[in-house]
Amino acid sequence: MSEFNNLRDTFRRLGMELTEEKETIYRGYMEDILELNESINLTAIRERDAFIAGHYDDSMACAFTPEFQEAGRIIDVGTGGGFPGIPLAIAYPEKEFVLVDSLNKRIKIIVSLAEKYGLSNVQALHGRAEELGRREGLREAFDLCVSRAVANMSTLTELCLPFVREGGSFIAYKGPGSDGEIADAAKAIEILGGSLRSVEKAYGGPEGTEHRLVIVSKKKKTPAKYPRKPGTPGKSPIK
Ligand code: SAH
């Protein structure tokens, strides 16, 4: 049995086929990340089955939403070792992905692996979301912003929603115990121009680590004062 059977099944449920070519890319990217992980911290996962479940299947969860299916240009904020951006970009070469991280060592790795595997739909940008979210060409320039394991929901909304165009969406991957932080983010979501559309159970991750997808629709432009300066959204989340 191939260790990629679950991912193959995820592809099928999405109406696609995990081709041999794509499987080779997923495998190569995983091997490279696991090897690089010995010198640069990219993931706590060191075992292949857990990597595929925890990083690949889990990242694919948002592909089941109409927001993702309809999006052409997507930004992944705090991508780390490329999650969820890279698995999604391999699966959907016709969509454009911008992967952002404040740690340049991680961005350099993504740039070189994207080139190695011919992922011409991936651009990796070094910087803090608080600064990049003010840059022309990035602010309100994406159909969808995704983010996993970066900050609490209120902080994350301030980091992510500025990138989203009116009518677009933001999807946060959150753990099962996130009711409190989602409730605490109500004010931030409203102030930043969003509206909570739904909280959905995401399928794909390993048992016990299933994520929920918190889906926020962007209704209005984000006020010019947001995001606040680097560090402030984390230190004093909007309440
Ligand atoms: N999304 C990945 C990595 C999570 S770790 C995954 O799920 O595996 C969080 C990452 O967010 C780190 O790589 C960190 O450098 C980055 N990060 C934290 N705050 C950030 C900010 N304000 N702007 C950009 N990146 C940020």
Side-chain angles (χ1 to χ4, degrees), residues 6-229:
N6 277 343
L7 190 60
R8 184 164 297 111
D9 194 50
T10 299
F11 266 65
R12 232 177 257 136
R13 285 191 286 134
L14 287 163
M16 305 188 294
E17 192 203 340
L18 177 60
T19 58
E20 222 171 283
E21 192 192 344
K22 283 187 179 161
E23 187 176 319
T24 304
I25 299 176
Y26 282 115
R27 193 183 296 281
Y29 189 84
M30 170 172 71
E31 294 301 334
D32 290 346
I33 291 286
L34 287 173
E35 195 184 317
L36 289 161
N37 206 34
E38 290 176 17
S39 42
I40 302 165
N41 181 24
L42 296 164
T43 170
I45 298 177
R46 292 190 160 64
E47 200 251 322
R48 288 174 179 74
D49 284 345
F51 190 107
I52 295 169
H55 287 322
Y56 288 168
D57 289 318
D58 189 66
S59 291
M60 292 299 287
C62 87
F64 289 91
T65 65
E67 285 80 3
F68 178 87
Q69 289 294 332
E70 286 158 17
R73 195 163 185 243
I74 299 159
I75 186 164
D76 176 8
V77 170
T79 192
F83 309 110
I86 291 288
L88 291 166
I90 296 170
Y92 293 90
E94 71 287 359
K95 297 185 192 285
E96 199 188 313
F97 291 83
V98 175
L99 276 47
V100 164
D101 204 280
S102 52
L103 213 65
N104 202 24
K105 275 199 280 190
R106 297 191 175 132
I107 288 300
K108 281 186 180 159
I109 286 172
I110 292 181
V111 168
S112 82
L113 294 181
E115 197 189 334
K116 176 174 176 183
Y117 293 107
L119 304 175
S120 54
N121 59 331
V122 172
Q123 191 195 344
L125 275 184
H126 171 230
R128 293 192 65 129
E130 295 92 323
E131 286 164 341
L132 298 175
R134 295 189 161 272
R135 197 182 283 179
E136 207 183 323
L138 296 176
R139 188 176 180 92
E140 319 226 292
F142 294 86
D143 303 311
L144 177 68
C145 176
V146 293
S147 187
R148 190 183 80 162
V150 173
N152 72 75
M153 189 64 196
S154 175
T155 299
L156 196 61
T157 303
E158 184 169 352
L159 299 180
C160 289
L161 217 45
F163 290 111
V164 179
R165 65 162 172 86
E166 275 175 273
S169 305
F170 154 48
I171 301 183
Y173 289 62
K174 284 289 170 192
S178 50
D179 284 347
E181 62 171 294
I182 295 168
D184 288 346
K187 179 130 184 249
I189 292 172
E190 198 203 320
I191 287 180
L192 294 157
S195 153
L196 182 64
R197 183 176 84 70
S198 65
V199 181
E200 295 176 7
K201 190 177 184 311
Y203 294 92
E207 190 109 10
T209 65
E210 291 101 346
H211 272 113
R212 309 157 82 186
L213 300 178
V214 184
I215 307 179
V216 174
S217 311
K218 182 125 175 199
K219 300 288 188 195
K220 289 186 284 200
K221 281 209 161 106
T222 298
K225 74 178 266 207
Y226 300 106
R228 290 167 293 166
K229 67 178 185 358

